[in-house]
Amino acid sequence: MSKTFTTPKGVAHYPYISAPDTKFDEQGHYKVNLCIPKEEAEPIIEQIKGELVAGIKALKEAKLKQAPLPFEDEKDDDDEPTGNVIIKFKSKAAYKPAIFDSKGTPMLNSNIYAGSVLKVNGSIAFYNSPAVGAGTTLRLRAVQVIEYVEGSSGA
């Protein structure tokens, strides 16, 4: 069981949306960390926590280790909270996210870089792993590019 949602606009950090990240996994993953103002992120955080609680209740186990949540407060260089939340999305390379421009037109050839402003459509899924614990993951389903920052290969 998973719930789908769409984020408000946020700034992309470490996006691998146009092509999967294969650095640590030969198969690769599409992923993006989306930075959103905390007050706008609250409804999503509540959904994530709700799915976690529902999943744990369904397991009916007395004691479970909790895995890290797929979001965290953004910190500045002095390790102080900025008032933003970073929400982490990921999906296997077999599930390429759909990419649309700000008008909803599919973007077939894109090279989305950090700093792009995006809305992300994702789904929340509960998991329980003996090694990591019980947690939720956010699957990357689709992306709408509001402000496009394009990159190129090479330095």
Side-chain angles (χ1 to χ4, degrees):
M1 179 176 134
S2 64
K3 289 187 175 179
T4 62
F5 64 94
T6 301
T7 68
K9 291 188 288 189
V11 177
H13 293 202
Y14 308 108
Y16 282 88
I17 298 168
S18 304
D21 177 10
T22 56
K23 187 173 181 177
F24 299 107
D25 177 3
E26 192 176 292
Q27 307 294 298
H29 285 88
Y30 291 101
K31 61 186 179 180
V32 64
N33 294 347
L34 194 66
C35 184
I36 302 172
K38 191 167 193 161
E39 60 198 35
E40 293 179 32
E42 280 302 323
I44 296 166
I45 291 169
E46 291 307 312
Q47 284 185 48
I48 293 167
K49 290 177 179 178
E51 280 294 299
L52 179 62
V53 169
I56 290 171
K57 282 182 181 176
L59 289 176
K60 297 178 183 171
E61 291 184 30
K63 193 171 184 180
L64 284 174
K65 179 178 166 186
Q66 184 178 328
L69 293 168
F71 63 87
E72 63 189 15
D73 287 337
E74 180 187 47
K75 305 274 174 109
D76 63 17
D77 293 337
D78 297 322
D79 206 33
E80 295 294 322
T82 63
N84 295 326
V85 173
I86 297 173
I87 301 177
K88 302 172 183 182
F89 295 86
K90 183 163 96 171
S91 63
K92 292 181 181 178
Y95 303 101
K96 181 172 177 37
I99 304 170
F100 301 94
D101 67 14
S102 60
K103 294 178 175 55
T105 306
M107 292 177 69
L108 302 177
N109 296 312
S110 62
N111 196 8
I112 300 166
Y113 262 52
S116 293
V117 176
L118 313 173
K119 285 185 176 182
V120 175
N121 178 268
S123 63
I124 307 168
F126 176 79
Y127 66 88
N128 185 24
S129 162
V132 182
T136 55
T137 185
L138 301 180
R139 295 192 179 124
L140 181 60
R141 297 167 38 101
V143 173
Q144 183 179 26
V145 181
I146 308 300
E147 293 176 30
Y148 184 46
V149 175
E150 183 174 19
S152 61
S153 56

